[in-house]
Amino acid sequence: MRSLILPGPGRTLAPYTVKNGPLSRPKGLPQFKRIAFAAAHMVVDPLAENCPWVDSAVDWDKTIQFREYLWDLGFGVAEAMDTAQRGMGLDWAGAQELIRRSLAAAKPRNGLVACGAGTDHLTPENAKNLDDVIRAYEEQFAFIEGLGGRIILMASRALARIAAGPDDYVKVYDRLLRQVKEPVVIHWLGDMFDPALKGYWGSTDDYAAMETCLTVLEAHASKIDGIKISLLSKEKEIAMRRRLPKGVRMYTGDDFNYAELIAGDDEGYSDALLGIFDAIAPAASAGLAELAGGNLASFNAILEPTVPLSRHIFQAPTRFYKTGVVFLAYLNGLQDHFLMLGGQQSGRSVQHFAELFRLADAARVLRDPDLATERMRRVLAVAGIV
């Protein structure tokens, strides 16, 4: 039952047998010494009669059930972020409904939620000046804060398009941070995740951009819980982490190097806000619980095998990583189909899925190897591989 034929290098086919069982899940609600947010994906309604590339049809019950699964594993949920296909299938109207439902579901279980606020209802070409960008942010702030939610201040495509240089970023963030009710998490998303954000903070040199971002952090430290950087560079994250104002956290968004960044060094560590935690949630939960108990070797033994899987899922073009995340949710029985907003299940090749399957086995994140094998077989059959 656990054997199947998988595509290999050079258009070859070869038998593969699942080698590993799943990791054992910690009993009860795990306790972590790192703050750990999982950016969560969307589950679509597979029976909706629509045009998947244009229309959004969300299965709200399954979408919220997945968040409950993350809360039960000890994670906070980073809501309505890029993992939820924000700006790539999920518009602001859909994000509002998602945020409303997620915050309501979190209350009875004391689930931690932080919600993405951006400017995606303002198309970049309609942004005429900085005040347009600020008003767009303020509208989303008001909605989230009106529901009692915490804000993740997302990067703005509109701002990236019209900003003349670093001073414009400082002006916008200064206006926004002066008015937030509670400390926010600032999200610096690299252009590998969204090409429209190239040159954010006023420079295509990440270290120069970092200086502008640090200027903002230093000026408004009391209004900032932390900074999440998604540049896929541990060197840049560590360099910035060591210069953060007192009390401002570094939330790693590095899906290539998260294990060592979370473990930290003699000068500090990173908390986490990661899309990969959606896909490897049981392993990440078990690893973080071991780290909280002072068992660094066990933490590394659990998390390090997941890193090759994450690097594969987030390979270029990185913005299609959501396809791999949802594929694993399907393999693991967390949803009954492999369909996505915007039809983005087509964002990766069958070769990509085959290697993902092998790496997921090596990382021990296949919850039920028999089920995963059968579902992998179905996907392969659609591609003509039997």
Side-chain angles (χ1 to χ4, degrees), residues 271-285:
D271 292 292
L273 197 165
L274 288 162
I276 193 58
F277 278 1
D278 176 303
I280 64 164
S285 177

Side-chain angles (χ1 to χ4, degrees), residues 7-214:
R11 301 171 62 85
T12 60
L13 297 174
Y16 182 81
T17 301
V18 175
K19 302 175 179 65
N20 298 297
L23 290 162
S24 59
R25 176 176 170 176
K27 295 180 180 179
L29 184 66
Q31 300 297 311
F32 304 153
K33 286 189 176 179
R34 305 287 190 265
I35 298 175
F37 284 97
H41 75 274
M42 303 295 291
V43 182
V44 305
D45 178 359
L47 300 179
E49 186 174 350
N50 65 357
C51 178
W53 284 17
V54 177
D55 305 315
S56 296
V58 177
D59 184 332
W60 290 112
D61 289 341
K62 290 290 187 181
T63 294
I64 296 304
Q65 284 174 17
F66 189 82
R67 281 129 180 90
E68 292 170 343
Y69 157 78
L70 292 173
W71 288 320
D72 288 346
L73 287 168
F75 295 104
V77 170
E79 195 55 277
M81 301 289 289
D82 46 301
T83 304
Q85 294 182 243
R86 186 76 175 270
M88 292 183 68
L90 183 70
D91 60 14
W92 172 232
Q96 287 176 288
E97 184 64 16
L98 174 61
I99 289 166
R100 185 184 295 112
R101 288 173 179 264
S102 189
L103 288 172
K107 287 180 181 178
R109 56 178 64 225
N110 295 317
L112 180 62
V113 185
C115 307
T119 65
D120 47 323
H121 61 297
L122 172 67
T123 58
E125 58 270 21
N126 287 333
K128 306 304 181 186
N129 52 53
L130 296 181
D131 286 337
D132 287 343
V133 174
I134 291 168
R135 281 191 293 268
Y137 269 123
E138 288 173 340
E139 181 178 334
Q140 297 200 11
F141 281 15
F143 175 80
I144 294 168
E145 291 183 333
L147 294 174
R150 296 177 56 185
I151 288 171
I152 301 173
L153 204 170
M154 299 171 68
S156 166
R157 291 174 177 172
L159 179 56
R161 179 176 179 270
I162 68 171
D167 289 347
D168 283 348
Y169 286 89
V170 173
K171 178 180 179 181
V172 168
Y173 279 79
D174 180 70
R175 287 268 298 276
L176 296 172
L177 291 168
R178 287 180 184 277
Q179 58 186 287
V180 293
K181 294 179 180 179
E182 300 290 341
V184 306
V185 176
I186 292 178
H187 187 190
W188 178 4
L189 190 66
D191 61 2
M192 67 288 291
F193 287 89
D194 185 346
L197 298 176
K198 188 175 182 63
Y200 211 75
W201 300 110
S203 177
T204 56
D205 179 333
D206 287 339
Y207 285 102
M210 191 184 297
E211 296 301 323
T212 303
C213 185
L214 283 166

Side-chain angles (χ1 to χ4, degrees), residues 207 210 229 233-244 250 252 254 257 260-261 264-265 267-270:
Y207 285 102
M210 191 184 297
I229 63 171
S233 166
K234 65 180 179 181
E235 293 82 10
K236 293 171 185 175
E237 180 172 321
I238 292 170
M240 190 171 189
R241 187 173 75 191
R242 290 175 176 170
R243 296 180 59 193
L244 291 178
M250 172 59 74
T252 185
D254 188 338
N257 303 291
E260 59 183 294
L261 290 165
D265 55 31
E267 297 186 50
Y269 61 84
S270 296

